[in-house]
Amino acid sequence: MDATEFSGRPDGRPDGRPAPIWLRTEPARNRRATPLTRERIVTAAVDLLDRTGVDGLTMRRLAELLAVTPTALYWHVATRDDVLDLAVDHIFGEVPLPAAGPDWRADVRTLTSGWRAAMLRHPWAPGLIGRPMLGPHVLARTEFLQAALVRAGLTGRHLAVVTRLVANYVIGAALTEATWRQTDDPGARAEARRHLEANAAAYPTLTASGHLDDGRWSDDDLFARGLDAILATAPGS
């Protein structure tokens, strides 16, 4: 069975394309068959993504990891994109969802620090966050974020703007840091810093400000202070 055969099921779109995986129900399974569930698929997919990155994830390799045929996978996921959507939502499930407290800023800091940490553990994840975000873990954490911002007094367009600012900031920070950490040369940033210093006449401000200088400020400190600068735009700040 291929993705086209799957898309012809009742929960597909009228034009024959499969509906997003979050809007479909899992089909009934033969009880005598090897028990294969979306949960098993996504766990194996995350493991494969952690080891090989997005380009290394294929339905055939995933089936081999699960010791099933590719056909068996298509009873649960219509396409490789389904697997990626499930994997992204799984990553959000690792982000602690705290109980709302009296300090909305502390709630946002807790959520976003956990989100950044999860993406750094899975460096393939930041590049996929632009996909449709309808998974239950994603929606629960987005709800928590917006509820905290509403408690700060944000509404309407201002709420939408700050929500996007926070989300884009976390994704961008994680993507940049993950890219640096994946380099084969652990001294790449130090080399870049030496390049700036050697060309101080061309880049006087960057040289003086400590741009790319790990010894001056840590990524954790810069991330926290950058988030605080964004939250300072809220009415309750």
Side-chain angles (χ1 to χ4, degrees):
M1 175 181 295
D2 61 18
T4 303
E5 290 170 330
F6 188 103
S7 66
R9 291 176 181 164
D11 48 7
R13 294 189 176 99
D15 60 6
R17 293 182 298 124
I21 192 167
W22 308 114
L23 306 181
R24 300 198 305 266
T25 56
E26 282 197 271
R29 296 181 294 275
N30 185 338
R31 293 183 180 180
R32 293 176 297 177
T34 301
L36 185 63
T37 63
R38 284 182 182 174
E39 182 179 358
R40 282 191 61 207
I41 291 171
V42 72
T43 299
V46 169
D47 176 61
L48 186 57
L49 286 162
D50 286 345
R51 290 188 285 110
T52 67
V54 174
D55 291 341
L57 174 67
T58 66
M59 298 298 272
R60 185 171 298 280
R61 294 183 72 178
L62 182 58
E64 291 174 355
L65 188 60
L66 289 162
V68 300
T69 66
T71 300
L73 289 179
Y74 287 119
W75 282 103
H76 303 271
V77 288
T79 65
R80 177 176 177 272
D81 283 347
D82 281 354
V83 177
L84 294 176
D85 288 340
L86 288 165
V88 169
D89 195 63
H90 179 88
I91 298 309
F92 271 76
E94 297 180 2
V95 179
L97 190 58
D103 185 348
W104 65 269
R105 297 177 193 80
D107 289 348
V108 174
R109 292 188 193 105
T110 299
L111 180 73
T112 54
S113 64
W115 181 6
R116 168 174 168 260
M119 288 192 290
L120 290 177
R121 287 194 300 271
H122 307 281
W124 49 268
L128 296 177
I129 301 299
R131 304 176 62 79
M133 307 291 276
L134 297 176
H137 295 309
V138 170
L139 293 180
R141 283 145 186 83
T142 306
E143 170 69 22
F144 182 89
L145 172 60
Q146 281 217 340
L149 296 177
V150 167
R151 297 204 312 275
L154 275 66
T155 59
R157 183 177 297 175
H158 199 179
L159 174 62
V161 167
V162 176
T163 299
R164 180 167 295 190
L165 274 174
V166 171
N168 288 347
Y169 175 68
V170 180
I171 296 167
L175 182 59
T176 301
E177 292 175 48
T179 301
W180 273 112
R181 295 182 185 189
Q182 289 182 89
T183 180
D184 293 332
D185 178 9
R189 190 177 295 196
E191 184 178 348
R193 179 64 187 167
R194 288 194 295 272
H195 173 74
L196 286 179
E197 292 173 345
N199 295 275
Y203 312 110
T205 306
L206 294 180
T207 303
S209 69
H211 186 59
L212 302 180
D213 186 354
D214 291 333
R216 187 173 298 193
W217 301 289
S218 69
D219 287 336
D220 291 343
D221 180 56
L222 292 178
F223 176 82
R225 291 175 182 273
L227 179 64
D228 285 345
I230 293 173
L231 299 184
T233 66
S237 298

